[in-house]
Amino acid sequence: QVQLVQSGGGSVQTGGSLRLSCSDQPHTSNWSRYCMGWFRQAPGKEREGVAYISSGGSSRVSDSVKGRFSISRDNAKNTLTLQMNSLKPEDTAMYYCAAKYPWLSCGLDGSTYNYWGQGTQVTVSS
């Protein structure tokens, strides 16, 4: 069982930056083996995969945030980070981190993830 706890987020104006963090509490020894992802859901919209990073450090971000968002992980601290720059109003959503079993392939399909954080709100005003 993995319990993911998120921090960060908040409100910012267009063009601003925010950083989201996610960690397992308590720490698990298998953290480094999980594929980790960030997802978001805006009111009235479907959940969208934002970024993922594999156990080996390979990562991908969605086209909608490419060049603005980056994902990273610190396996020594069991921490996952989403750095969000040049934020736009359309980035406004609830953001979730998620973990996938190590034996499953990484990707942006949220339905394949096994553990989820509690969510944190990101609001970008124009």
Side-chain angles (χ1 to χ4, degrees):
Q1 188 73 13
V2 177
Q3 295 186 3
L4 300 176
V5 178
Q6 298 177 220
S7 61
S11 298
V12 67
Q13 292 188 326
T14 297
S17 298
L18 287 173
R19 177 177 294 179
L20 305 182
S21 295
C22 173
S23 180
D24 60 340
Q25 299 291 342
H27 286 351
T28 62
S29 59
N30 289 327
W31 168 270
S32 64
R33 299 178 60 199
Y34 287 97
C35 168
M36 302 296 300
W38 286 101
F39 298 84
R40 67 185 182 184
Q41 188 165 21
K45 294 188 176 181
E46 293 187 353
R47 182 176 59 199
E48 174 190 10
V50 175
Y52 71 80
I53 185 166
S54 72
S55 59
S58 299
S59 63
R60 177 190 167 193
V61 298
S62 67
D63 289 343
S64 61
V65 304
K66 190 171 293 182
R68 302 187 297 120
F69 291 14
S70 62
I71 186 172
S72 62
R73 68 191 298 166
D74 184 341
N75 290 333
K77 297 181 179 179
N78 286 33
T79 301
L80 175 74
T81 299
L82 183 69
Q83 179 65 43
M84 305 183 291
N85 299 326
S86 301
L87 283 160
K88 305 175 180 179
E90 50 263 44
D91 295 318
T92 295
M94 187 71 78
Y95 283 71
Y96 299 89
C97 66
K100 178 186 286 195
Y101 291 143
W103 54 87
L104 300 176
S105 59
C106 245
L108 290 175
D109 182 357
S111 67
T112 64
Y113 281 71
N114 307 105
Y115 304 106
W116 292 83
Q118 81 276 18
T120 185
Q121 179 68 38
V122 170
T123 302
V124 185
S125 58
S126 58

